[in-house]
Amino acid sequence: MKRKTAVITGATSGIGREFAYAYAAMGYRLVLTGRRIKRLEATSQELKVPCRIWPADLSDEKQCHDFMEKLEKTRVDVFINNAGFGVCGRFTDTELSKETSLIDLNVRAMHILFKRMLQKMERQGSGTILNVGSAAGLLPAGPHMAAYYASKAYVVSLTQAVARELKEEKSAVYVAVLCPGPVNTEFNARANVKFTMKGISPQYCVREALRGMRKHKTVIIPSPLVRAGTLGQKLLPTSVLIPMISAQQKRKVYRRGKNSAKNSLKSPKAGLA
């Protein structure tokens, strides 16, 4: 029987790498992309399935299109749209260049790859797309991680809208969004945050994601605690909820002096998967 193919972006660490292990265990052949070629090579060598690696910086729009062109003749059964990063700090202190890179990757690249992959899967007659969002995208706003929360709200909104369109059309293509809360990955250090609640492991996150995908859920929240919190926040008015989120986010920032957030976010590429 011919192997199915899974394509995973942001596959150099964390959730993306765990998806690679999970799909390899299911016998899929893999296509992995990310910026750090040595990480991709190391992961591919650990997998006992055919694996292609295509290094790319998906915050560059041209590289997004180039990546999709490389996939033109490949049937893709599963696409994990995972690449992204975060910025933590007061909006006026965080670097503009880092936030525009965040928008380029978390929003622009996600959108381009989602749209083009969906068009490809509709032509081939079936497929699955999982956009990796965040529980942050289910909340009205995130002071002290303002751009990140906004970017993930875009992912959630777009995915839910497209999922409804496909359902109305009785399409054989399934799309979903994964909305984890804290996950113990490199994201924490790169976004310069320290979670105030215990994070889940990337392995657990991926197991729950796959469980939700088997059930064809549109919004998948892997943590029971975050699911409960998400339901509870719907009972609170925005005027109460946003100050609560702000207070929690303030506790995440590593305080190294007055300009800690500004000084710790100097590399616009830090935090990309």
Side-chain angles (χ1 to χ4, degrees):
M1 186 174 68
K2 188 175 180 181
R3 289 181 187 267
K4 292 184 177 181
T5 299
V7 177
I8 303 167
T9 71
T12 58
S13 64
I15 294 172
R17 186 169 59 186
E18 288 304 322
F19 268 115
Y21 293 147
Y23 278 103
M26 289 186 276
Y28 281 66
R29 64 174 182 164
L30 301 175
V31 178
L32 308 180
T33 187
R35 290 188 310 110
R36 293 172 286 182
I37 186 169
K38 290 184 178 179
R39 291 282 192 94
L40 292 174
E41 289 173 343
T43 299
S44 69
Q45 290 169 6
E46 294 173 2
L47 303 173
K48 301 184 185 305
V49 295
C51 181
R52 284 181 286 171
I53 58 172
W54 285 331
D57 179 357
L58 297 177
S59 64
D60 179 343
E61 182 174 345
K62 182 179 183 301
Q63 292 190 50
C64 288
H65 290 293
D66 289 346
F67 180 61
M68 288 303 304
E69 291 303 318
K70 290 177 181 178
L71 293 170
E72 185 61 34
K73 295 181 180 180
T74 300
R75 178 184 173 84
V76 178
D77 300 284
V78 177
F79 181 61
I80 308 296
N81 201 2
N82 170 67
F85 74 103
V87 175
C88 186
R90 189 168 176 268
F91 185 66
T92 53
D93 291 338
T94 49
E95 289 188 16
L96 179 59
S97 62
K98 189 172 181 71
E99 289 178 322
T100 54
S101 290
L102 178 152
I103 293 167
D104 287 340
L105 186 61
N106 293 15
V107 177
R108 186 193 298 271
M110 183 282 307
H111 185 114
I112 291 169
L113 297 176
F114 183 30
K115 188 179 188 75
R116 291 199 58 179
M117 185 58 70
L118 177 56
Q119 292 169 335
K120 175 181 176 63
M121 287 182 172
E122 286 189 324
R123 289 194 299 270
Q124 69 186 27
S126 65
T128 293
I129 299 173
L130 181 71
N131 292 325
V132 178
S134 168
L138 302 172
L139 296 167
H144 307 284
M145 285 190 81
Y148 177 74
Y149 270 61
S151 73
K152 292 304 183 179
Y154 185 94
V155 179
V156 173
S157 177
L158 181 68
T159 307
Q160 288 183 298
V162 174
R164 180 62 199 178
E165 292 175 2
L166 296 174
K167 184 175 182 179
E168 290 175 357
E169 296 161 3
K170 296 181 171 55
S171 173
V173 181
Y174 159 62
V175 303
V177 59
L178 176 63
C179 295
V183 182
N184 298 324
T185 68
E186 293 177 2
F187 176 95
N188 310 5
R190 292 182 177 178
N192 199 46
V193 301
K194 183 176 182 180
F195 291 130
T196 54
M197 61 184 292
K198 185 177 180 180
I200 60 175
S201 70
Q203 294 87 350
Y204 179 84
C205 181
V206 169
R207 284 199 304 270
E208 290 299 300
L210 293 172
R211 190 196 307 273
M213 292 163 75
R214 286 193 292 270
K215 295 179 179 179
H216 270 221
K217 291 185 176 181
T218 299
V219 178
I220 302 169
I221 305 173
S223 168
L225 183 60
V226 174
R227 281 198 296 271
T230 301
L231 291 172
Q233 63 94 8
K234 293 179 180 180
L235 303 176
L236 296 173
T238 300
S239 60
V240 173
L241 185 58
I242 292 178
M244 290 174 62
I245 297 168
S246 179
Q248 181 185 33
Q249 296 293 31
K250 284 180 182 178
R251 295 166 58 196
K252 289 182 180 179
V253 182
Y254 290 145
R255 296 298 180 184
R256 299 195 186 104
K258 184 177 180 180
N259 295 318
S260 60
K262 185 174 182 179
N263 292 335
S264 62
L265 298 173
K266 288 185 177 180
S267 170
K269 296 298 182 184
L272 275 68

